[in-house]
């Protein structure tokens, strides 16, 4: 595996193989599988789970890792192309990335969306500008529009909780959050559930429609896998017979890059906080998923997070197991 950049690059069989490997590594640890291998981790955006789970994954497989982030005692990193570097930053990403990559056998990169221009972010301009600098195998640890490690872990979580693929109803719901957040997780989640063959409903208020190219790509994946995609702002209709609700906040696509207009739109939507009445007409055992971090009492009620519907903790642990499988395949642990 040369890159783990988009779950859509992998067939259903390949994804199932990765999940089977994750399960195997959980049940039968291989503490020497990646002995002597090094993973470079570049975090240009914040993290808890991704940061910790990649380091834990490498350690459990017998390899090592190191982390570089702007908050560390490093020279300031500049990323703008063609800039005259007469300000505070003393190092450009064009040197930093190949140097960091040269110390490892693979590199993970996290760089959130700029959130100024939707077309720019959809084209993954920043992420591509970094990966084109290296020949090292790389892992997308969340880019402007993708989070494949989260999606692989989420697919495994759906399997672990026996949530049906075909005929399973998956609701991807927008939720209130005080800030305009990136589209990476909803974009990746939409495609993951479609790829798995589920009947996916995107539940979102007006102004928060997911971009048309994402919906079309997911619809094609759902079609191929025997699932479907619908979009609505009707909560009751969306939740009818749902097996799972995956809550996430994201930026207004109508006002992308316009912070004040986004703010004005979302401040009317405080009731988009997932709570027990949302589940009135869902399956009795309808599950609650979220990639974390999650704001309690804002995105979701405490009683849901602390109750039997929530699978957020095993979902987060699956990040480590899913990434162990990716690293095992990428770095030759299977040989
Ligand atoms: N879900 C996720 O990627 O969490 P972090 O941002 O904490 O890594």
């Amino acid at each position: 595996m040369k890159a783990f950049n988009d779950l859509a690059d992998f067939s259903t069989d390949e994804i199932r193989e990765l999940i089977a490997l994750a399960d195997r590594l959980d049940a039968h640890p291989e503490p020497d599988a990646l002995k002597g291998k090094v993973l470079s981790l570049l975090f240009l955006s914040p993290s808890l789970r991704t940061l910790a789970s990649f380091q834990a994954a490498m350690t459990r497989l017998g390899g090592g890792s190191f982390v570089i982030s702007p908050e560390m005692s490093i020279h300031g990193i500049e990323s703008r192309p063609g800039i005259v570097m007469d300000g505070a930053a003393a190092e450009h990403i064009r040197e930093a990335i190949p140097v960091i990559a040269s110390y490892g056998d693979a590199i993970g990169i996290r760089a959130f969306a700029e959130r100024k221009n939707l077309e720019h972010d959809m084209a993954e301009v920043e992420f591509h500008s970094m990966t084109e600098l290296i020949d090292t195998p790389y892992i997308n640890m969340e880019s402007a529009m993708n989070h494949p490690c989260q999606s692989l872990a989420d697919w495994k979580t759906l399997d672990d909780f026996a949530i049906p693929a075909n005929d399973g109803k998956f609701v991807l719901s927008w939720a209130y959050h005080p800030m305009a957040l990136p589209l990476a997780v909803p974009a990746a989640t939409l495609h993951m559930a479609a790829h798995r063959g589920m009947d996916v409903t995107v539940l979102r208020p007006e102004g928060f429609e997911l971009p048309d190219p994402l919906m079309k790509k997911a619809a094609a994946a759902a079609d191929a896998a025997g699932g479907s995609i619908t979009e609505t702002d009707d909560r009751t209709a969306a939740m009818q017979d749902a097996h799972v609700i995956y809550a996430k906040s994201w930026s207004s696509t109508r006002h992308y890059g316009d912070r004040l207009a986004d703010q004005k739109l979302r401040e009317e939507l405080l009731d988009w906080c997932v709570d027990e009445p949302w589940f009135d007409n869902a399956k009795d055992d309808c599950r609650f998923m979220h990639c974390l971090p999650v704001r309690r009492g804002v995105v979701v009620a405490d009683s849901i997070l602390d109750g039997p519907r929530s699978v957020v903790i095993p979902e987060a642990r699956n990040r480590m197991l899913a990434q162990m499988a990716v690293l095992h395949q990428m770095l030759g642990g299977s040989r």
Side-chain angles (χ1 to χ4, degrees):
M1 191 193 297
K2 183 74 182 148
F4 190 71
N5 184 47
D6 185 350
L7 204 61
D9 295 338
F10 295 82
S11 68
T12 303
D13 284 349
E14 289 169 332
I15 293 167
R16 294 207 178 284
E17 199 180 315
L18 280 166
I19 291 173
L21 177 55
D23 288 335
R24 191 187 92 203
L25 293 169
D26 193 21
H28 305 286
E30 293 185 19
D32 292 325
L34 298 185
K35 198 171 177 184
K37 301 284 186 185
V38 174
L39 177 67
S40 319
L41 295 166
L42 175 61
F43 282 90
L44 296 174
S45 308
S47 171
L48 185 155
R49 276 140 294 273
T50 309
L51 178 65
S53 60
F54 264 108
Q55 292 175 96
M58 276 308 278
T59 302
R60 283 176 182 273
L61 292 169
S65 60
F66 67 89
V67 176
I68 297 292
S69 76
E71 288 70 40
M72 301 169 89
S73 179
I74 58 170
H75 312 286
I77 294 189
E78 176 61 67
S79 59
R80 289 169 290 180
I83 191 83
V84 176
M85 289 175 56
D86 56 0
E91 179 133 53
H92 201 279
I93 208 88
R94 292 191 68 81
E95 287 77 49
I97 298 250
V99 167
I100 294 165
S102 76
Y103 299 146
D105 300 286
I107 182 168
I109 302 175
R110 168 169 279 204
F112 289 172
E114 276 191 351
R115 273 167 290 154
K116 290 180 188 156
N117 178 285
L118 184 57
E119 283 70 36
H120 180 90
D121 287 344
M122 291 278 288
E124 296 279 17
V125 174
E126 261 70 46
F127 201 74
H128 291 323
S129 75
M130 292 189 268
T131 56
E132 73 183 14
L133 298 170
I134 50 169
D135 292 326
T136 318
Y138 69 89
I139 297 171
N140 180 333
M141 300 198 301
E142 189 173 338
S143 62
M145 286 288 163
N146 222 321
H147 198 354
C149 300
Q150 185 66 51
S151 287
L152 183 60
D154 289 342
W155 186 314
K156 174 168 158 42
T157 307
L158 292 165
D159 289 355
D160 289 350
F161 284 89
I163 294 167
N166 288 134
D167 299 326
K169 184 165 182 187
F170 186 99
V171 177
L172 169 61
S173 179
W174 187 86
Y176 176 74
H177 189 284
M179 285 177 289
L181 298 183
L183 290 167
V185 170
T189 305
L190 170 69
H191 200 279
M192 178 277 300
H195 196 155
R196 194 171 177 267
M198 303 186 78
D199 293 321
V200 184
T201 299
V202 181
L203 171 62
R204 84 294 173 273
E206 294 292 319
F208 293 85
E209 298 79 5
L210 289 177
D212 211 35
L214 294 181
M215 293 296 285
K216 287 195 170 122
K217 187 178 160 195
D223 209 33
S228 62
I229 303 283
T230 53
E231 190 176 16
T232 182
D233 62 357
D234 181 338
R235 192 176 298 161
T236 306
M239 289 300 291
Q240 181 74 46
D241 295 324
H243 290 88
V244 58
I245 178 171
Y246 194 115
K248 186 75 187 82
S249 195
W250 59 83
S251 299
S252 165
T253 42
R254 184 185 293 165
H255 300 299
Y256 201 82
D258 183 342
R259 198 174 53 81
L260 287 179
D262 180 303
Q263 193 68 40
K264 198 165 178 327
L265 192 57
R266 74 178 49 232
E267 66 194 17
E268 305 295 324
L269 301 167
L270 270 75
D271 64 324
W272 284 70
C273 173
V274 180
D275 205 347
E276 196 52 41
W278 285 46
F279 295 87
D280 280 352
N281 61 346
K283 296 281 186 201
D284 287 344
D285 58 352
C286 180
R287 301 291 188 170
F288 175 83
M289 294 178 73
H290 192 284
C291 63
L292 304 182
V294 68
R295 289 189 182 229
R296 285 176 168 255
V298 174
V299 169
V300 56
D302 281 7
S303 59
I304 301 297
L305 271 179
D306 297 333
R309 296 191 184 284
S310 176
V311 298
V312 299
I313 304 301
E315 183 183 359
R317 180 170 185 269
N318 276 336
R319 289 291 307 278
M320 178 183 75
L321 298 173
Q323 290 155 200
M324 282 168 70
V326 169
L327 291 163
H328 198 277
Q329 280 202 358
M330 183 173 271
L331 295 174
S334 306
R335 277 183 216 131

